[in-house]
Amino acid sequence: MEYNRQLLLKDGRACVLRNGTAADAEAVLATFIRTHAETDFLTTYPDELTFTTEQEGDFLRKATESAREIEIVAEVDGAIVGTAGIALIRDTEKTRHRASFGISVEKAWWGLGIGRALTNACIECASAASYAQLELEVVAENERARALYRSAGFVEYGRNPRAFRARSGVWQENILMRLELP
């Protein structure tokens, strides 16, 4: 699936949302490490990254070639500052109508509209891929993300009070949200 749009950020800079390519693999992995180090709201710690640059490049290539999955990068002034994507939950008759959604934006770029633009892009792509439902999980304490998802039409359908266990030993509750697509 292919995607390419340009938007103007709240600070006046241009941001390009486009497919990640194999050539972006190193920059995407660096962004992954930064975003996962900046917040405790994501699913892994930066030192748990297991993809090599080659594996990431292959993942990005396959997402672009896929008719139903995508990985979008947000690029500002030539630098990748965020990523988002959709993936099939499971390719069985009962579940192929469902896709999962994931997103991360570097903290320095929060509040400029990148997260909203990436979310909307993924919703658009999920609709184009004929999914009936887009799903995500969000840490309950992540009010900014929850507000964004609610404003995009996602609704809560469940909670997992022990979804994550931080290295500090603290449990983090995840909220399961879904968006019905036309």
Side-chain angles (χ1 to χ4, degrees):
M1 176 178 299
E2 295 195 19
Y3 192 87
N4 194 318
R5 304 276 192 287
Q6 183 168 322
L7 66 130
L8 199 58
L9 299 177
K10 292 177 182 177
D11 68 358
R13 284 184 278 190
C15 176
V16 175
L17 302 183
R18 62 171 177 79
N19 292 80
T21 67
D24 297 317
E26 190 172 327
V28 167
L29 290 176
T31 297
F32 176 96
I33 289 168
R34 277 191 296 279
T35 57
H36 286 68
E38 294 173 331
T39 180
D40 207 25
F41 295 147
L42 298 174
T43 59
T44 61
Y45 290 104
D47 62 331
E48 294 177 307
L49 175 65
T50 60
F51 265 25
T52 65
T53 302
E54 182 179 283
Q55 289 169 321
E56 181 67 21
D58 191 48
F59 169 78
L60 294 169
R61 180 187 54 75
K62 286 178 181 175
T64 298
E65 293 172 356
S66 172
R68 302 199 71 210
E69 298 185 327
I70 192 165
E71 190 69 20
I72 300 171
V73 299
E75 184 176 39
V76 181
D77 297 330
I80 293 174
V81 300
T83 62
I86 60 170
L88 179 67
I89 298 279
R90 189 176 302 123
D91 194 15
T92 63
E93 187 173 348
K94 290 184 176 184
T95 59
R96 69 176 58 109
H97 67 285
R98 298 168 53 207
S100 63
F101 165 64
I103 182 172
S104 64
V105 177
E106 292 181 17
K107 199 169 194 172
W109 299 92
W110 290 3
L112 295 175
I114 295 171
R116 181 170 304 282
L118 284 168
T119 299
N120 290 339
C122 285
I123 292 169
E124 179 184 336
C125 290
S127 291
S130 300
Y131 287 110
Q133 183 166 287
L134 191 56
E135 303 172 18
L136 62 87
E137 292 185 36
V138 60
V139 173
E141 298 155 358
N142 191 349
E143 280 296 329
R144 292 172 60 101
R146 290 174 55 201
L148 168 62
Y149 304 144
R150 281 191 304 268
S151 72
F154 284 87
V155 295
E156 180 179 333
Y157 71 92
R159 289 180 178 244
N160 182 346
R162 289 184 165 204
F164 295 160
R165 185 170 183 182
R167 287 182 172 160
S168 65
V170 173
W171 292 104
Q172 290 178 300
E173 180 177 44
N174 269 6
I175 298 174
L176 291 79
M177 300 182 84
R178 67 185 187 88
L179 173 68
E180 289 185 19
L181 300 167

